[in-house]
PDB file of all heavy atoms in Angstrom:
ATOM      1  N   ALA A   1     -20.527 171.001 -27.292  1.00 86.00           N
ATOM      2  CA  ALA A   1     -19.473 170.407 -26.476  1.00 86.00           C
ATOM      3  C   ALA A   1     -18.092 170.684 -27.072  1.00 86.00           C
ATOM      4  O   ALA A   1     -17.140 171.014 -26.350  1.00 86.00           O
ATOM      5  CB  ALA A   1     -19.697 168.899 -26.338  1.00 86.00           C
ATOM      6  N   ILE A   2     -17.974 170.571 -28.401  1.00 87.00           N
ATOM      7  CA  ILE A   2     -16.706 170.830 -29.065  1.00 87.00           C
ATOM      8  C   ILE A   2     -16.280 172.283 -28.867  1.00 87.00           C
ATOM      9  O   ILE A   2     -15.093 172.585 -28.648  1.00 87.00           O
ATOM     10  CB  ILE A   2     -16.803 170.511 -30.572  1.00 87.00           C
ATOM     11  CG1 ILE A   2     -16.872 168.995 -30.789  1.00 87.00           C
ATOM     12  CG2 ILE A   2     -15.617 171.081 -31.339  1.00 87.00           C
ATOM     13  CD1 ILE A   2     -15.623 168.264 -30.361  1.00 87.00           C
ATOM     14  N   ASP A   3     -17.220 173.206 -28.933  1.00 87.00           N
ATOM     15  CA  ASP A   3     -16.910 174.625 -28.727  1.00 87.00           C
ATOM     16  C   ASP A   3     -16.314 174.850 -27.332  1.00 87.00           C
ATOM     17  O   ASP A   3     -15.403 175.666 -27.153  1.00 87.00           O
ATOM     18  CB  ASP A   3     -18.161 175.476 -28.910  1.00 87.00           C
ATOM     19  CG  ASP A   3     -18.606 175.544 -30.363  1.00 87.00           C
ATOM     20  OD1 ASP A   3     -17.796 175.210 -31.247  1.00 87.00           O
ATOM     21  OD2 ASP A   3     -19.773 175.922 -30.608  1.00 87.00           O
ATOM     22  N   LYS A   4     -16.837 174.121 -26.334  1.00 81.00           N
ATOM     23  CA  LYS A   4     -16.315 174.251 -24.965  1.00 81.00           C
ATOM     24  C   LYS A   4     -14.910 173.671 -24.862  1.00 81.00           C
ATOM     25  O   LYS A   4     -14.067 174.188 -24.120  1.00 81.00           O
ATOM     26  CB  LYS A   4     -17.263 173.560 -23.982  1.00 81.00           C
ATOM     27  CG  LYS A   4     -18.600 174.264 -23.841  1.00 81.00           C
ATOM     28  CD  LYS A   4     -19.528 173.515 -22.903  1.00 81.00           C
ATOM     29  CE  LYS A   4     -20.876 174.225 -22.795  1.00 81.00           C
ATOM     30  NZ  LYS A   4     -21.834 173.497 -21.923  1.00 81.00           N
ATOM     31  N   VAL A   5     -14.666 172.588 -25.606  1.00 81.00           N
ATOM     32  CA  VAL A   5     -13.322 172.008 -25.617  1.00 81.00           C
ATOM     33  C   VAL A   5     -12.330 172.998 -26.216  1.00 81.00           C
ATOM     34  O   VAL A   5     -11.258 173.252 -25.662  1.00 81.00           O
ATOM     35  CB  VAL A   5     -13.311 170.692 -26.433  1.00 81.00           C
ATOM     36  CG1 VAL A   5     -11.879 170.211 -26.642  1.00 81.00           C
ATOM     37  CG2 VAL A   5     -14.129 169.622 -25.726  1.00 81.00           C
ATOM     38  N   ILE A   6     -12.685 173.573 -27.349  1.00 84.00           N
ATOM     39  CA  ILE A   6     -11.802 174.526 -28.030  1.00 84.00           C
ATOM     40  C   ILE A   6     -11.516 175.735 -27.148  1.00 84.00           C
ATOM     41  O   ILE A   6     -10.413 176.293 -27.151  1.00 84.00           O
ATOM     42  CB  ILE A   6     -12.419 174.963 -29.376  1.00 84.00           C
ATOM     43  CG1 ILE A   6     -12.506 173.765 -30.328  1.00 84.00           C
ATOM     44  CG2 ILE A   6     -11.609 176.079 -30.018  1.00 84.00           C
ATOM     45  CD1 ILE A   6     -13.213 174.057 -31.637  1.00 84.00           C
ATOM     46  N   ALA A   7     -12.518 176.120 -26.352  1.00 77.00           N
ATOM     47  CA  ALA A   7     -12.378 177.314 -25.509  1.00 77.00           C
ATOM     48  C   ALA A   7     -11.268 177.177 -24.475  1.00 77.00           C
ATOM     49  O   ALA A   7     -10.667 178.184 -24.064  1.00 77.00           O
ATOM     50  CB  ALA A   7     -13.705 177.621 -24.821  1.00 77.00           C
ATOM     51  N   VAL A   8     -10.974 175.945 -24.029  1.00 76.00           N
ATOM     52  CA  VAL A   8      -9.951 175.763 -22.992  1.00 76.00           C
ATOM     53  C   VAL A   8      -8.587 175.405 -23.564  1.00 76.00           C
ATOM     54  O   VAL A   8      -7.629 175.214 -22.818  1.00 76.00           O
ATOM     55  CB  VAL A   8     -10.383 174.677 -21.970  1.00 76.00           C
ATOM     56  CG1 VAL A   8     -11.687 175.051 -21.307  1.00 76.00           C
ATOM     57  CG2 VAL A   8     -10.487 173.303 -22.639  1.00 76.00           C
ATOM     58  N   LEU A   9      -8.479 175.326 -24.893  1.00 81.00           N
ATOM     59  CA  LEU A   9      -7.193 175.001 -25.511  1.00 81.00           C
ATOM     60  C   LEU A   9      -6.278 176.216 -25.568  1.00 81.00           C
ATOM     61  O   LEU A   9      -6.737 177.359 -25.605  1.00 81.00           O
ATOM     62  CB  LEU A   9      -7.407 174.464 -26.933  1.00 81.00           C
ATOM     63  CG  LEU A   9      -8.168 173.145 -27.083  1.00 81.00           C
ATOM     64  CD1 LEU A   9      -8.317 172.797 -28.555  1.00 81.00           C
ATOM     65  CD2 LEU A   9      -7.469 172.026 -26.336  1.00 81.00           C
ATOM     66  N   LYS A  10      -5.001 175.942 -25.608  1.00 81.00           N
ATOM     67  CA  LYS A  10      -4.030 177.017 -25.786  1.00 81.00           C
ATOM     68  C   LYS A  10      -4.105 177.528 -27.224  1.00 81.00           C
ATOM     69  O   LYS A  10      -4.595 176.838 -28.122  1.00 81.00           O
ATOM     70  CB  LYS A  10      -2.620 176.507 -25.494  1.00 81.00           C
ATOM     71  CG  LYS A  10      -2.421 176.038 -24.050  1.00 81.00           C
ATOM     72  CD  LYS A  10      -1.019 175.488 -23.870  1.00 81.00           C
ATOM     73  CE  LYS A  10      -0.818 174.984 -22.440  1.00 81.00           C
ATOM     74  NZ  LYS A  10       0.544 174.400 -22.259  1.00 81.00           N
ATOM     75  N   THR A  11      -3.603 178.737 -27.452  1.00 84.00           N
ATOM     76  CA  THR A  11      -3.666 179.343 -28.782  1.00 84.00           C
ATOM     77  C   THR A  11      -2.996 178.476 -29.832  1.00 84.00           C
ATOM     78  O   THR A  11      -3.520 178.292 -30.942  1.00 84.00           O
ATOM     79  CB  THR A  11      -3.008 180.733 -28.767  1.00 84.00           C
ATOM     80  OG1 THR A  11      -3.680 181.552 -27.813  1.00 84.00           O
ATOM     81  CG2 THR A  11      -3.099 181.390 -30.136  1.00 84.00           C
ATOM     82  N   THR A  12      -1.843 177.906 -29.496  1.00 88.00           N
ATOM     83  CA  THR A  12      -1.132 177.059 -30.462  1.00 88.00           C
ATOM     84  C   THR A  12      -1.938 175.806 -30.789  1.00 88.00           C
ATOM     85  O   THR A  12      -1.946 175.345 -31.930  1.00 88.00           O
ATOM     86  CB  THR A  12       0.237 176.645 -29.911  1.00 88.00           C
ATOM     87  OG1 THR A  12       0.079 176.034 -28.609  1.00 88.00           O
ATOM     88  CG2 THR A  12       1.160 177.851 -29.779  1.00 88.00           C
ATOM     89  N   GLN A  13      -2.627 175.249 -29.768  1.00 86.00           N
ATOM     90  CA  GLN A  13      -3.456 174.064 -29.993  1.00 86.00           C
ATOM     91  C   GLN A  13      -4.646 174.406 -30.887  1.00 86.00           C
ATOM     92  O   GLN A  13      -5.030 173.616 -31.749  1.00 86.00           O
ATOM     93  CB  GLN A  13      -3.945 173.503 -28.655  1.00 86.00           C
ATOM     94  CG  GLN A  13      -2.847 172.868 -27.809  1.00 86.00           C
ATOM     95  CD  GLN A  13      -3.369 172.397 -26.469  1.00 86.00           C
ATOM     96  OE1 GLN A  13      -4.073 173.136 -25.767  1.00 86.00           O
ATOM     97  NE2 GLN A  13      -3.040 171.177 -26.096  1.00 86.00           N
ATOM     98  N   LYS A  14      -5.236 175.573 -30.668  1.00 86.00           N
ATOM     99  CA  LYS A  14      -6.380 175.994 -31.477  1.00 86.00           C
ATOM    100  C   LYS A  14      -5.992 176.114 -32.947  1.00 86.00           C
ATOM    101  O   LYS A  14      -6.737 175.712 -33.840  1.00 86.00           O
ATOM    102  CB  LYS A  14      -6.927 177.332 -30.971  1.00 86.00           C
ATOM    103  CG  LYS A  14      -7.623 177.251 -29.622  1.00 86.00           C
ATOM    104  CD  LYS A  14      -8.105 178.633 -29.173  1.00 86.00           C
ATOM    105  CE  LYS A  14      -8.763 178.547 -27.804  1.00 86.00           C
ATOM    106  NZ  LYS A  14      -9.194 179.869 -27.305  1.00 86.00           N
ATOM    107  N   LYS A  15      -4.803 176.673 -33.201  1.00 90.00           N
ATOM    108  CA  LYS A  15      -4.340 176.833 -34.580  1.00 90.00           C
ATOM    109  C   LYS A  15      -4.147 175.476 -35.247  1.00 90.00           C
ATOM    110  O   LYS A  15      -4.503 175.285 -36.414  1.00 90.00           O
ATOM    111  CB  LYS A  15      -3.040 177.639 -34.610  1.00 90.00           C
ATOM    112  CG  LYS A  15      -3.234 179.120 -34.248  1.00 90.00           C
ATOM    113  CD  LYS A  15      -1.915 179.872 -34.314  1.00 90.00           C
ATOM    114  CE  LYS A  15      -2.121 181.354 -33.982  1.00 90.00           C
ATOM    115  NZ  LYS A  15      -0.835 182.093 -34.013  1.00 90.00           N
ATOM    116  N   LYS A  16      -3.585 174.523 -34.507  1.00 92.00           N
ATOM    117  CA  LYS A  16      -3.382 173.180 -35.061  1.00 92.00           C
ATOM    118  C   LYS A  16      -4.723 172.505 -35.334  1.00 92.00           C
ATOM    119  O   LYS A  16      -4.894 171.806 -36.329  1.00 92.00           O
ATOM    120  CB  LYS A  16      -2.557 172.328 -34.090  1.00 92.00           C
ATOM    121  CG  LYS A  16      -1.097 172.740 -33.996  1.00 92.00           C
ATOM    122  CD  LYS A  16      -0.336 171.805 -33.071  1.00 92.00           C
ATOM    123  CE  LYS A  16       1.133 172.162 -33.003  1.00 92.00           C
ATOM    124  NZ  LYS A  16       1.892 171.251 -32.130  1.00 92.00           N
ATOM    125  N   LEU A  17      -5.683 172.753 -34.439  1.00 90.00           N
ATOM    126  CA  LEU A  17      -6.996 172.161 -34.615  1.00 90.00           C
ATOM    127  C   LEU A  17      -7.709 172.744 -35.836  1.00 90.00           C
ATOM    128  O   LEU A  17      -8.449 172.041 -36.539  1.00 90.00           O
ATOM    129  CB  LEU A  17      -7.845 172.390 -33.356  1.00 90.00           C
ATOM    130  CG  LEU A  17      -8.940 171.344 -33.072  1.00 90.00           C
ATOM    131  CD1 LEU A  17      -8.331 169.965 -32.902  1.00 90.00           C
ATOM    132  CD2 LEU A  17      -9.740 171.725 -31.843  1.00 90.00           C
ATOM    133  N   GLU A  18      -7.480 174.014 -36.092  1.00 90.00           N
ATOM    134  CA  GLU A  18      -8.059 174.653 -37.280  1.00 90.00           C
ATOM    135  C   GLU A  18      -7.523 174.006 -38.562  1.00 90.00           C
ATOM    136  O   GLU A  18      -8.257 173.804 -39.533  1.00 90.00           O
ATOM    137  CB  GLU A  18      -7.746 176.150 -37.279  1.00 90.00           C
ATOM    138  CG  GLU A  18      -8.516 176.942 -36.224  1.00 90.00           C
ATOM    139  CD  GLU A  18      -8.082 178.397 -36.168  1.00 90.00           C
ATOM    140  OE1 GLU A  18      -7.188 178.777 -36.954  1.00 90.00           O
ATOM    141  OE2 GLU A  18      -8.624 179.142 -35.337  1.00 90.00           O
ATOM    142  N   VAL A  19      -6.230 173.684 -38.547  1.00 93.00           N
ATOM    143  CA  VAL A  19      -5.626 173.014 -39.707  1.00 93.00           C
ATOM    144  C   VAL A  19      -6.253 171.634 -39.891  1.00 93.00           C
ATOM    145  O   VAL A  19      -6.646 171.245 -40.997  1.00 93.00           O
ATOM    146  CB  VAL A  19      -4.095 172.878 -39.522  1.00 93.00           C
ATOM    147  CG1 VAL A  19      -3.510 172.013 -40.638  1.00 93.00           C
ATOM    148  CG2 VAL A  19      -3.439 174.253 -39.515  1.00 93.00           C
ATOM    149  N   LEU A  20      -6.358 170.887 -38.788  1.00 91.00           N
ATOM    150  CA  LEU A  20      -6.903 169.535 -38.860  1.00 91.00           C
ATOM    151  C   LEU A  20      -8.365 169.554 -39.291  1.00 91.00           C
ATOM    152  O   LEU A  20      -8.814 168.684 -40.049  1.00 91.00           O
ATOM    153  CB  LEU A  20      -6.775 168.843 -37.503  1.00 91.00           C
ATOM    154  CG  LEU A  20      -7.107 167.346 -37.479  1.00 91.00           C
ATOM    155  CD1 LEU A  20      -6.129 166.575 -38.350  1.00 91.00           C
ATOM    156  CD2 LEU A  20      -7.081 166.821 -36.054  1.00 91.00           C
ATOM    157  N   GLU A  21      -9.104 170.563 -38.857  1.00 89.00           N
ATOM    158  CA  GLU A  21     -10.526 170.652 -39.188  1.00 89.00           C
ATOM    159  C   GLU A  21     -10.741 170.712 -40.698  1.00 89.00           C
ATOM    160  O   GLU A  21     -11.726 170.192 -41.226  1.00 89.00           O
ATOM    161  CB  GLU A  21     -11.117 171.897 -38.517  1.00 89.00           C
ATOM    162  CG  GLU A  21     -12.631 171.861 -38.334  1.00 89.00           C
ATOM    163  CD  GLU A  21     -13.386 172.253 -39.594  1.00 89.00           C
ATOM    164  OE1 GLU A  21     -12.817 172.986 -40.413  1.00 89.00           O
ATOM    165  OE2 GLU A  21     -14.542 171.815 -39.749  1.00 89.00           O
ATOM    166  N   GLN A  22      -9.792 171.321 -41.393  1.00 90.00           N
ATOM    167  CA  GLN A  22      -9.878 171.450 -42.847  1.00 90.00           C
ATOM    168  C   GLN A  22      -9.380 170.204 -43.578  1.00 90.00           C
ATOM    169  O   GLN A  22      -9.541 170.091 -44.794  1.00 90.00           O
ATOM    170  CB  GLN A  22      -9.055 172.667 -43.306  1.00 90.00           C
ATOM    171  CG  GLN A  22      -9.529 173.992 -42.727  1.00 90.00           C
ATOM    172  CD  GLN A  22     -10.937 174.338 -43.162  1.00 90.00           C
ATOM    173  OE1 GLN A  22     -11.329 174.078 -44.295  1.00 90.00           O
ATOM    174  NE2 GLN A  22     -11.712 174.930 -42.261  1.00 90.00           N
ATOM    175  N   ARG A  23      -8.791 169.274 -42.830  1.00 91.00           N
ATOM    176  CA  ARG A  23      -8.161 168.127 -43.479  1.00 91.00           C
ATOM    177  C   ARG A  23      -8.715 166.784 -43.050  1.00 91.00           C
ATOM    178  O   ARG A  23      -8.119 165.740 -43.331  1.00 91.00           O
ATOM    179  CB  ARG A  23      -6.643 168.177 -43.230  1.00 91.00           C
ATOM    180  CG  ARG A  23      -6.032 169.473 -43.751  1.00 91.00           C
ATOM    181  CD  ARG A  23      -4.531 169.480 -43.646  1.00 91.00           C
ATOM    182  NE  ARG A  23      -3.991 170.773 -44.049  1.00 91.00           N
ATOM    183  CZ  ARG A  23      -2.700 171.046 -44.164  1.00 91.00           C
ATOM    184  NH1 ARG A  23      -1.812 170.084 -43.909  1.00 91.00           N
ATOM    185  NH2 ARG A  23      -2.282 172.252 -44.526  1.00 91.00           N
ATOM    186  N   VAL A  24      -9.827 166.799 -42.337  1.00 92.00           N
ATOM    187  CA  VAL A  24     -10.512 165.565 -41.961  1.00 92.00           C
ATOM    188  C   VAL A  24     -11.891 165.591 -42.596  1.00 92.00           C
ATOM    189  O   VAL A  24     -12.637 166.562 -42.441  1.00 92.00           O
ATOM    190  CB  VAL A  24     -10.639 165.424 -40.426  1.00 92.00           C
ATOM    191  CG1 VAL A  24     -11.468 164.193 -40.079  1.00 92.00           C
ATOM    192  CG2 VAL A  24      -9.271 165.339 -39.784  1.00 92.00           C
ATOM    193  N   PHE A  25     -12.213 164.526 -43.319  1.00 89.00           N
ATOM    194  CA  PHE A  25     -13.499 164.495 -44.031  1.00 89.00           C
ATOM    195  C   PHE A  25     -14.114 163.109 -43.904  1.00 89.00           C
ATOM    196  O   PHE A  25     -13.419 162.099 -43.935  1.00 89.00           O
ATOM    197  CB  PHE A  25     -13.283 164.833 -45.511  1.00 89.00           C
ATOM    198  CG  PHE A  25     -14.534 164.780 -46.339  1.00 89.00           C
ATOM    199  CD1 PHE A  25     -15.493 165.775 -46.254  1.00 89.00           C
ATOM    200  CD2 PHE A  25     -14.758 163.714 -47.202  1.00 89.00           C
ATOM    201  CE1 PHE A  25     -16.652 165.722 -47.007  1.00 89.00           C
ATOM    202  CE2 PHE A  25     -15.915 163.647 -47.966  1.00 89.00           C
ATOM    203  CZ  PHE A  25     -16.867 164.659 -47.867  1.00 89.00           C
ATOM    204  N   THR A  26     -15.401 163.057 -43.722  1.00 86.00           N
ATOM    205  CA  THR A  26     -16.118 161.792 -43.708  1.00 86.00           C
ATOM    206  C   THR A  26     -17.186 161.818 -44.791  1.00 86.00           C
ATOM    207  O   THR A  26     -17.787 162.866 -45.055  1.00 86.00           O
ATOM    208  CB  THR A  26     -16.796 161.537 -42.347  1.00 86.00           C
ATOM    209  OG1 THR A  26     -17.657 162.645 -42.028  1.00 86.00           O
ATOM    210  CG2 THR A  26     -15.759 161.375 -41.244  1.00 86.00           C
ATOM    211  N   TYR A  27     -17.398 160.674 -45.411  1.00 80.00           N
ATOM    212  CA  TYR A  27     -18.370 160.596 -46.501  1.00 80.00           C
ATOM    213  C   TYR A  27     -19.424 159.561 -46.168  1.00 80.00           C
ATOM    214  O   TYR A  27     -19.112 158.436 -45.781  1.00 80.00           O
ATOM    215  CB  TYR A  27     -17.673 160.219 -47.810  1.00 80.00           C
ATOM    216  CG  TYR A  27     -18.617 160.060 -48.978  1.00 80.00           C
ATOM    217  CD1 TYR A  27     -19.303 161.159 -49.494  1.00 80.00           C
ATOM    218  CD2 TYR A  27     -18.827 158.805 -49.545  1.00 80.00           C
ATOM    219  CE1 TYR A  27     -20.178 161.010 -50.557  1.00 80.00           C
ATOM    220  CE2 TYR A  27     -19.702 158.658 -50.605  1.00 80.00           C
ATOM    221  CZ  TYR A  27     -20.373 159.756 -51.118  1.00 80.00           C
ATOM    222  OH  TYR A  27     -21.242 159.605 -52.159  1.00 80.00           O
ATOM    223  N   ASN A  28     -20.667 159.957 -46.281  1.00 74.00           N
ATOM    224  CA  ASN A  28     -21.781 159.058 -46.011  1.00 74.00           C
ATOM    225  C   ASN A  28     -22.698 159.032 -47.222  1.00 74.00           C
ATOM    226  O   ASN A  28     -23.260 160.053 -47.589  1.00 74.00           O
ATOM    227  CB  ASN A  28     -22.546 159.525 -44.762  1.00 74.00           C
ATOM    228  CG  ASN A  28     -23.636 158.540 -44.361  1.00 74.00           C
ATOM    229  OD1 ASN A  28     -23.793 157.486 -44.977  1.00 74.00           O
ATOM    230  ND2 ASN A  28     -24.383 158.887 -43.336  1.00 74.00           N
ATOM    231  N   LYS A  29     -22.823 157.858 -47.839  1.00 68.00           N
ATOM    232  CA  LYS A  29     -23.642 157.772 -49.048  1.00 68.00           C
ATOM    233  C   LYS A  29     -25.131 157.920 -48.755  1.00 68.00           C
ATOM    234  O   LYS A  29     -25.896 158.286 -49.619  1.00 68.00           O
ATOM    235  CB  LYS A  29     -23.412 156.413 -49.720  1.00 68.00           C
ATOM    236  CG  LYS A  29     -22.017 156.213 -50.267  1.00 68.00           C
ATOM    237  CD  LYS A  29     -22.018 154.990 -51.144  1.00 68.00           C
ATOM    238  CE  LYS A  29     -20.792 154.162 -50.907  1.00 68.00           C
ATOM    239  NZ  LYS A  29     -20.781 152.960 -51.743  1.00 68.00           N
ATOM    240  N   THR A  30     -25.534 157.581 -47.526  1.00 65.00           N
ATOM    241  CA  THR A  30     -26.956 157.617 -47.194  1.00 65.00           C
ATOM    242  C   THR A  30     -27.435 159.053 -47.028  1.00 65.00           C
ATOM    243  O   THR A  30     -26.940 159.781 -46.190  1.00 65.00           O
ATOM    244  CB  THR A  30     -27.229 156.848 -45.882  1.00 65.00           C
ATOM    245  OG1 THR A  30     -26.676 155.544 -45.991  1.00 65.00           O
ATOM    246  CG2 THR A  30     -28.717 156.756 -45.620  1.00 65.00           C
ATOM    247  N   ALA A  31     -28.397 159.442 -47.828  1.00 61.00           N
ATOM    248  CA  ALA A  31     -28.932 160.810 -47.753  1.00 61.00           C
ATOM    249  C   ALA A  31     -29.843 160.955 -46.537  1.00 61.00           C
ATOM    250  O   ALA A  31     -30.530 160.029 -46.137  1.00 61.00           O
ATOM    251  CB  ALA A  31     -29.722 161.128 -49.016  1.00 61.00           C
ATOM    252  N   LYS A  32     -29.823 162.143 -45.956  1.00 59.00           N
ATOM    253  CA  LYS A  32     -30.697 162.432 -44.827  1.00 59.00           C
ATOM    254  C   LYS A  32     -32.079 162.834 -45.356  1.00 59.00           C
ATOM    255  O   LYS A  32     -32.433 164.007 -45.387  1.00 59.00           O
ATOM    256  CB  LYS A  32     -30.105 163.551 -43.973  1.00 59.00           C
ATOM    257  CG  LYS A  32     -28.738 163.248 -43.394  1.00 59.00           C
ATOM    258  CD  LYS A  32     -28.224 164.425 -42.595  1.00 59.00           C
ATOM    259  CE  LYS A  32     -26.806 164.195 -42.138  1.00 59.00           C
ATOM    260  NZ  LYS A  32     -26.258 165.337 -41.400  1.00 59.00           N
ATOM    261  N   VAL A  33     -32.845 161.852 -45.793  1.00 65.00           N
ATOM    262  CA  VAL A  33     -34.152 162.131 -46.387  1.00 65.00           C
ATOM    263  C   VAL A  33     -35.106 162.694 -45.349  1.00 65.00           C
ATOM    264  O   VAL A  33     -35.768 163.703 -45.563  1.00 65.00           O
ATOM    265  CB  VAL A  33     -34.743 160.846 -47.013  1.00 65.00           C
ATOM    266  CG1 VAL A  33     -36.100 161.144 -47.621  1.00 65.00           C
ATOM    267  CG2 VAL A  33     -33.794 160.292 -48.070  1.00 65.00           C
ATOM    268  N   ASN A  34     -35.194 162.023 -44.212  1.00 77.00           N
ATOM    269  CA  ASN A  34     -36.076 162.474 -43.131  1.00 77.00           C
ATOM    270  C   ASN A  34     -35.272 162.614 -41.843  1.00 77.00           C
ATOM    271  O   ASN A  34     -35.330 161.742 -40.971  1.00 77.00           O
ATOM    272  CB  ASN A  34     -37.222 161.475 -42.928  1.00 77.00           C
ATOM    273  CG  ASN A  34     -38.108 161.360 -44.140  1.00 77.00           C
ATOM    274  OD1 ASN A  34     -38.604 162.364 -44.635  1.00 77.00           O
ATOM    275  ND2 ASN A  34     -38.305 160.150 -44.624  1.00 77.00           N
ATOM    276  N   PRO A  35     -34.521 163.681 -41.707  1.00 85.00           N
ATOM    277  CA  PRO A  35     -33.712 163.836 -40.495  1.00 85.00           C
ATOM    278  C   PRO A  35     -34.586 163.975 -39.254  1.00 85.00           C
ATOM    279  O   PRO A  35     -35.687 164.531 -39.317  1.00 85.00           O
ATOM    280  CB  PRO A  35     -32.919 165.116 -40.767  1.00 85.00           C
ATOM    281  CG  PRO A  35     -33.760 165.875 -41.734  1.00 85.00           C
ATOM    282  CD  PRO A  35     -34.394 164.838 -42.605  1.00 85.00           C
ATOM    283  N   SER A  36     -34.116 163.435 -38.136  1.00 92.00           N
ATOM    284  CA  SER A  36     -34.851 163.553 -36.884  1.00 92.00           C
ATOM    285  C   SER A  36     -34.261 164.677 -36.050  1.00 92.00           C
ATOM    286  O   SER A  36     -33.150 165.145 -36.295  1.00 92.00           O
ATOM    287  CB  SER A  36     -34.801 162.235 -36.107  1.00 92.00           C
ATOM    288  OG  SER A  36     -33.492 162.005 -35.607  1.00 92.00           O
TER     289      SER A  36
END
């Protein structure tokens, strides 16, 4: 779904999104022991 969103963005928006993608991070202490 995200790929489809990016596909309709303008070039300038895509560049800004690339910057943000490198600067947003989430941390989850719970390990994915048995992913579904």
Side-chain angles (χ1 to χ4, degrees):
I2 288 295
D3 289 343
K4 292 178 181 178
V5 171
I6 295 175
V8 301
L9 296 178
K10 297 177 181 178
T11 301
T12 54
Q13 290 177 312
K14 290 178 182 178
K15 290 181 179 179
K16 289 183 178 181
L17 208 60
E18 289 175 0
V19 172
L20 189 63
E21 201 278 334
Q22 299 297 323
R23 302 186 185 186
V24 175
F25 178 74
T26 56
Y27 178 67
N28 186 3
K29 294 192 222 179
T30 307
K32 300 179 186 178
V33 180
N34 297 307
S36 70

